Structure formats: structure tokens, C-alpha cells
Amino acid sequence: MMYDIGKIRADFPILGRTVYGKPLVYLDNGATTQKPRQVVEAITNEYYNTNANVHRGVHFLSQQATELHEASRETVRKFINARSTAEIVFTRGTTESINLLAATFCQSQMKEGDEVIVSAMEHHSNIVPWQLQAMQRGIRLRVIPMDDRGCLLLDEYERLFSPRTKLVSVTHVSNVLGTINPVAQMIATAHAHGVPVLVDGAQSIPHMPVDVQALDADFYVFSGHKVYGPTGVGVLYGKEDWLDKLPPYQGGGEMIQHVSFEKTTFNELPFKFEAGTPDYIGTTGLACALDYVSALGMDAIAAYEHELTAYATRRLMEIPGMRIFGESQQKGSVISFLVGNIHHFDLGTLLDRLGIAVRTGHHCAQPLMTRLGIEGTVRASFGLYNTREEVDALVAGIERVRKMFG
Ligand code: PMP
């Protein structure tokens, strides 16, 4: 299919609105993406025509809703090329997926003194869940350092392994630096030490093709809302062998086989990890979003965004006083920057007045900010619908703010 940006933008009604009387320039896609009409209509349609609780009903609507929900699981499976739908657990998002894994993995696979390896550029959601476990169970976090360009030091990574290492948990793409980490290589290294790997795919799934089997990832997690789907739904992929070894996370309906007051047996995968009524409307929306990006082609999206990000980097670098954080050769569609002595919050607030939505602050990566020796940045993050004209508006906006600050 041709990458027709005009046609694509027309699918996202919100992109046509104004803020403060100015056309909206939405460059906060790393935080969340806008939704195409197709996704909103799929959700509305299910509420209007097919809404019923899934899995437990004999009646027509319940069966139809169940079929939709399970078809969505198959769509996710295909999208990331998992072996089986048993390996696709629906969650509330990346954060819940990591918390689920941290709780169940640490409980069943780790003892006091054991270690989890994370990286210097993790989002708080891939740090704090491990720390909560560390507090309870006396396990330790080891951190892969990075160089000044924002690339992980792979020699140092190798040196972190010991017989106490039980898991590596690392982001595929940094939400601040844009660095695309060499996760296939890092997984091979971990496996050579007999250690499984969790990959945080929150910032990769929307922007590039991901094949969990080719990567040989043991666990891979992402959020629906960052890939043009609804909020409140996400995915934990896990190899079946691993998921089988882990205990349930939450208890309730859906995750059981048989309950008595003496003993309860648990449901098969993936339902063992899905206590309670799932967000079956959300999974329909997510599947619709994945169909939407698949129709465009993940390779085509990656190529388009790569070109746009390269253009934005060139244009931003023309601005005097521009400092871009994250200079990896392998970089996604995220640009974090500071300009002269202008505080990131001031710059973001003034850009907002021009209709330009960017994010400011520590981006939920305070340890990374400490490593960079800064408090925060301004972050422009691009999605499949952004344009060169929007990049030009950002550059013009920054120039305007810069002149105001003299
Ligand atoms: N990891 C990364 C790398 C992220 O960018 C984000 C969202 N900013 C998360 C995890 C958390 O995702 P969510 O809030 O959707 O659970």
C-alpha cells in the first residue's frame, strides 16, 4: 500500500483540531498516540452491537464477544509472531505486564541475593517493580551503564553476569534517547549464561516490525495506547515454558479451573494470568489498531518515521544552542533536547501556546537524567502521521521562544 500521508491523517480526526486557535501539532507520541477512526468505530460498534461478558455465557452475544476477544489475541500473536495464543496474556499495559512478571518471577524463581540486570536508560516502570520485589525478597538490581551517546556498554553488560543473575529486563527503545538497543544480541548473551530476558517494547512496537521468535525474547511487553489503540489494554508475551513455570498473579474469576474452600486449581494459559473480566472491548480496539498499522506495513512506517526523524534532527541542529540527547546510530523517532539556558518547562509551555504539543521533564527516567547530569529535557516524539511541515512548525516555534529569551 502507498504511504499516503494525506489519507492517513484524515483517519485521525483529532489532528484536524486547533488549540488556542492554532492548528494542533501533536509531537507527544511517545506518551500516547492518537486513534484512527477505525479503532474508535470498532469500539463503538462493539458497545452498540456485541457487548456481553466473555467466556462464561451460553447466549449469543456472549459467544460473539468471546469470539471477538479471542480473535484479537490471534491478531496480537500474528503481529509479534508468537508461536501460540497461549503465550499472549492481556494486561492493562506495559506497567502491569512488568509488575506481573516481577511479582511472579521473583516469587517463584529468585532467592535472597539473586540479581536482575536492567539498563541505565529504563523507564521507572522497568525499575520500580524490581525494587518492590528487592525490598521484599532481598534481591539486587545490577545496571548496564551507557556511553555519552546513549549506547549501552555491551562489554560491561557481559561482566554483570554471575551465577546469581536470574533475569535481564531491558528496554528495546529508550523513550528519552531514542536508542534502539541491540536486544537480539543482548538476548543471545543472556542465554549463553542461561538467563532469560524481558524486553520492554513500549517504544518499539509502534515503530518497527517485531518478531519475538527471531529475537528469541523470553518475555516481551507493550501497551495498546502507544500503538494507536485504546488505553487500558496491553500485552505480556511469554514463552509457554516460562509462563507455565510461573504462579498466578491475581486471583479471581477466569483464572481458575475449580474452586473449593480447601483447594483451587488454576486455568490453562493464558487465562491463568487474566483474573476478572478482561477489557474485551479494549482488546477489540487493540486488534483493530494492529490491523491498521499492519495494512500500512511496519517496514513502511519505520522507513517514513526514520526519514522524518533524520529531517527533524538536521533542522533542529541548525538552532543555536541546541543540545540533543541520544546520538546512537540506531535511533527511533524520539528527539530529546535542550536549548541554551532555557528551562525545559518554559520551552514546552511556550511551544504549547503555539499549538505544539511536546513533553517536558524527566520522562519517568530519573536515573537516566542523573546519568546525563540534567533535570529534564523537551521531547518531540513522532508517529506515523507526522509531517515535515510539523517539524518546521516545531523549529520555527523554538526559534521564536529562543528570541524571546534573548
Ligand atoms: N516503558 C517505556 C519505555 C515507556 O516509554 C513507557 C511509557 N512512557 C512505559 C514503559 C510505561 O507504559 P504504560 O504507562 O503504558 O504502562
Side-chain angles (χ1 to χ4, degrees):
M1 190 192 281
M2 255 271 291
Y3 205 87
D4 181 344
I5 192 70
K7 187 161 168 290
I8 290 169
R9 286 181 70 85
D11 286 335
F12 293 81
I14 204 170
L15 298 179
R17 70 160 289 174
T18 57
V19 293
Y20 312 113
K22 309 248 174 15
L24 169 68
V25 175
Y26 186 76
L27 302 178
D28 195 16
N29 295 285
T32 201
T33 50
Q34 301 303 342
K35 317 307 168 197
R37 204 184 291 280
Q38 290 86 335
V39 167
V40 179
E41 281 169 5
I43 291 168
T44 309
N45 183 49
E46 188 165 2
Y47 274 127
Y48 280 163
N49 296 304
T50 323
N51 179 54
N53 207 336
V54 293
H55 293 142
R56 288 178 289 267
V58 291
H59 61 81
F60 183 87
L61 276 189
S62 173
Q63 289 186 12
Q64 226 178 23
T66 304
E67 274 165 28
L68 266 176
H69 182 59
E70 291 307 320
S72 300
R73 202 187 301 276
E74 169 59 16
T75 302
V76 172
R77 184 204 65 74
K78 267 214 304 256
F79 190 73
I80 60 173
N81 192 33
R83 257 181 220 89
S84 141
T85 49
E87 301 180 319
I88 307 297
V89 177
F90 285 123
T91 64
R92 280 199 305 119
T94 305
T95 302
E96 189 177 60
S97 296
I98 298 176
N99 276 278
L100 186 165
L101 198 81
T104 59
F105 190 93
C106 296
Q107 180 194 330
S108 61
Q109 311 293 318
M110 295 186 75
K111 313 188 288 300
E112 193 175 334
D114 283 346
E115 296 174 350
V116 176
I117 296 178
V118 297
S119 88
M121 61 178 78
E122 297 309 317
H123 188 277
H124 293 164
S125 64
N126 195 23
I127 301 173
V128 185
W130 305 110
Q131 288 176 327
L132 294 178
Q133 293 301 319
M135 284 192 298
Q136 280 179 39
R137 300 180 205 282
I139 63 176
R140 292 209 307 155
L141 275 189
R142 306 296 303 273
V143 182
I144 313 163
M146 65 174 208
D147 66 18
D148 292 336
R149 293 173 308 149
C151 300
L152 295 179
L153 298 172
L154 297 183
D155 290 348
E156 301 286 330
Y157 168 58
E158 280 253 32
R159 278 197 275 278
L160 291 177
F161 285 89
S162 80
R164 313 228 80 164
T165 312
K166 290 296 173 333
L167 186 73
V168 173
S169 189
V170 68
T171 195
H172 197 160
V173 175
S174 162
N175 66 315
V176 178
L177 305 165
T179 311
I180 303 174
N181 289 315
V183 286
Q185 188 186 340
M186 295 175 75
I187 289 167
T189 301
H191 287 174
H193 289 88
V195 174
V197 180
L198 163 66
V199 180
D200 174 351
Q203 298 292 344
S204 46
I205 281 287
H207 303 291
M208 61 182 75
V210 169
D211 179 332
V212 291
Q213 290 190 67
L215 289 174
D216 203 16
D218 301 279
F219 305 100
Y220 200 100
V221 300
F222 64 96
S223 300
H225 70 98
K226 290 187 202 274
V227 61
Y228 312 97
T231 50
V233 65
V235 171
L236 162 66
Y237 157 81
K239 284 183 184 165
E240 200 166 347
D241 286 353
W242 271 116
L243 293 182
D244 265 334
K245 277 186 221 163
L246 304 179
Y249 178 48
Q250 294 180 331
E254 197 85 16
M255 53 76 73
I256 53 89
Q257 199 167 50
H258 180 79
V259 178
S260 72
F261 284 114
E262 289 69 41
K263 182 176 166 55
T264 289
T265 53
F266 303 122
N267 205 340
E268 60 190 16
L269 289 175
F271 309 109
K272 180 172 90 174
F273 294 109
E274 295 182 348
T277 298
D279 186 355
Y280 55 86
I281 305 269
T283 57
T284 298
L286 172 59
C288 183
L290 297 182
D291 284 341
Y292 184 89
V293 293
S294 297
L296 289 175
M298 289 313 297
D299 282 316
I301 291 170
Y304 178 83
E305 291 181 357
H306 184 76
E307 199 277 328
L308 185 68
T309 309
Y311 175 73
T313 305
R314 270 198 318 277
R315 292 284 342 261
L316 287 169
M317 288 304 288
E318 291 165 8
I319 297 171
M322 173 61 63
R323 270 203 299 165
I324 291 180
F325 298 89
E327 296 169 309
S328 169
Q329 290 296 310
Q330 306 299 321
K331 196 171 160 175
S333 48
V334 174
I335 306 179
S336 275
F337 58 90
L338 289 170
V339 182
N341 293 324
I342 308 171
H343 195 276
H344 53 84
F345 185 70
D346 292 336
L347 183 49
T349 306
L350 291 164
L351 286 173
D352 174 56
R353 286 279 150 184
L354 301 171
I356 302 166
V358 290
R359 187 140 295 241
T360 66
H362 56 61
H363 314 295
C364 298
Q366 282 181 335
L368 174 59
M369 295 297 127
T370 304
R371 166 64 181 80
L372 296 169
I374 54 179
E375 270 176 41
T377 70
V378 178
R379 181 187 74 182
S381 52
F382 306 105
L384 58 81
Y385 38 58
N386 289 123
T387 63
R388 284 189 173 217
E389 291 70 37
E390 290 179 310
V391 169
D392 293 342
L394 170 68
V395 171
I398 297 169
E399 280 293 14
R400 217 167 128 179
V401 175
R402 204 175 62 81
K403 292 201 174 98
M404 279 171 56
F405 278 78

